[in-house]
Amino acid sequence: MKVIPRSRLAPATAPFIALVTVAALLAGCSGRSPGRFSGNGSPAAGLDDPAKKEIAMQLVSSAENSTLDWKAQYKYIEDIGDGRGYTAGIIGFCSGTGDMLRVVERYASARPGNPLERFLPALRAVKGSDSHDGLRRPFTDAWVEAAADPAFRSAQDAERDSSYFDPAVEQGKDDGLGALGQFIYYDAYVMHGAADSDGTVGFRTMRREALDAAEPPSRGGDEVTYLNAFLDARVTAIRKEPSHSDTSRVETAQRVFVREGRLQLETPLEWKVYGDSYRIDGP
């Protein structure tokens, strides 16, 4: 997971920049969850709809990379000084957290003998630390080189979906949330991870705290009230983590969409992250 957008690195206070499959629950005919159906009563598109997923990737990229061009990030790699070693790729896979290792393992399986495969022992050794041992410039150069290979880009996509996107969307659907709520879950997964770790508060803790404060739509609760409870829990989590400080990712982006009632991520969307303004006009 990436914890600090590289264009927003500031000395110690730069903002952090990174379930099981269940059937979607439908309420009775007179009590459909507000985020799960469109205005005409037909099932609403979830975040896994291709058009909605593209919006989600642009939203995450605005915070992670200060650009909507998320597809240009496959080759990105640097140490942003957050204690997680190298941060790289489309959502900020890290050498210290293990998801970068999984990306390279996927790539090695698809393309044996690729330029990154020889670094697998080093990636396994540095997991859990910020060490560059056995990596350094040869590794970062190989990462950039590999980004030209569709198989490597596919490995990044697969790890993003398996560890972050799919679990978040599935949990969001289980909680009766529309595309916006599913995105809010996904962004929390990317930035914080699923579970708590040393010095961090994970998605599961945020969700538990939100459930203590409000009922989700799947339990008959109001979707806006629940989403605000979740965002409150996330702001608290951000402020607890040493590598976080700026909450604009929530307050001037996701909270704005909630306030505007864009529960299906209806465009146009306008928001700010870390002082920069963005807009998505379609689809």
Side-chain angles (χ1 to χ4, degrees):
M1 295 165 293
K2 185 181 300 183
V3 275
I4 306 176
R6 60 183 181 276
S7 65
R8 288 292 174 275
L9 287 178
T13 60
F16 173 23
I17 194 108
L19 304 190
V20 281
T21 303
V22 288
L25 299 178
L26 300 179
C29 293
S30 62
R32 286 171 171 167
S33 170
R36 301 298 299 283
F37 289 82
S38 63
N40 62 9
S42 61
L47 200 66
D48 47 2
D49 173 82
K52 298 294 185 184
K53 188 172 185 178
E54 176 66 20
I55 290 173
M57 290 303 296
Q58 292 180 69
L59 289 169
V60 169
S61 187
S62 73
E64 298 278 323
N65 301 99
S66 300
T67 177
L68 299 184
D69 188 8
W70 67 271
K71 293 179 181 177
Q73 308 309 316
Y74 288 103
K75 65 182 179 181
Y76 161 64
I77 183 166
E78 68 177 321
D79 188 327
I80 57 177
D82 63 351
R84 291 168 173 83
Y86 288 112
T87 293
I90 54 174
I91 61 167
F93 306 106
C94 293
S95 58
T97 61
D99 53 0
M100 179 181 285
L101 169 62
R102 293 193 296 272
V103 168
V104 177
E105 287 175 336
R106 288 177 184 275
Y107 185 34
S109 178
R111 190 85 76 200
N114 72 72
L116 290 171
E117 187 173 14
R118 69 187 180 95
F119 295 101
L120 282 171
L123 286 169
R124 294 183 181 113
V126 302
K127 182 180 175 181
S129 75
D130 62 356
S131 174
H132 293 182
D133 289 351
L135 301 172
R136 306 189 190 280
R137 182 64 179 270
F139 174 70
T140 60
D141 286 349
W143 183 279
V144 173
E145 177 186 350
D149 185 351
F152 182 55
R153 298 195 295 272
S154 293
Q156 291 194 39
D157 292 344
E159 181 58 27
R160 171 201 62 200
D161 289 349
S162 177
S163 293
Y164 302 101
F165 188 84
D166 291 349
V169 170
E170 288 161 6
Q171 184 62 69
K173 288 181 177 181
D174 189 39
D175 288 341
L177 303 177
L180 173 58
Q182 294 165 35
F183 169 72
I184 286 172
Y185 276 12
Y186 170 54
D187 191 62
Y189 255 84
V190 168
M191 188 172 179
H192 305 274
D196 297 355
S197 58
D198 187 25
T200 69
V201 178
F203 167 82
R204 293 170 190 158
T205 294
M206 295 176 212
R207 178 175 175 269
R208 183 174 65 249
E209 292 174 353
L211 291 172
D212 287 342
E215 294 289 346
S218 62
R219 302 181 190 176
D222 177 74
E223 186 164 16
V224 168
T225 300
Y226 175 76
L227 290 178
N228 276 313
F230 183 86
L231 292 176
D232 289 343
R234 186 170 176 193
V235 167
T236 298
I238 290 172
R239 290 174 174 162
K240 285 181 179 178
E241 298 184 26
S243 57
H244 296 174
S245 62
D246 191 311
T247 61
S248 65
R249 189 166 179 154
V250 170
E251 303 296 5
T252 59
Q254 295 169 33
R255 191 92 72 178
V256 173
F257 304 152
V258 173
R259 186 166 59 246
E260 293 175 347
R262 298 183 186 275
L263 300 181
Q264 291 302 326
L265 282 175
E266 300 91 340
T267 55
L269 294 168
E270 294 186 72
W271 71 100
K272 292 183 178 180
V273 181
Y274 310 132
D276 291 339
S277 298
Y278 301 92
R279 179 183 174 97
I280 297 175
D281 288 308

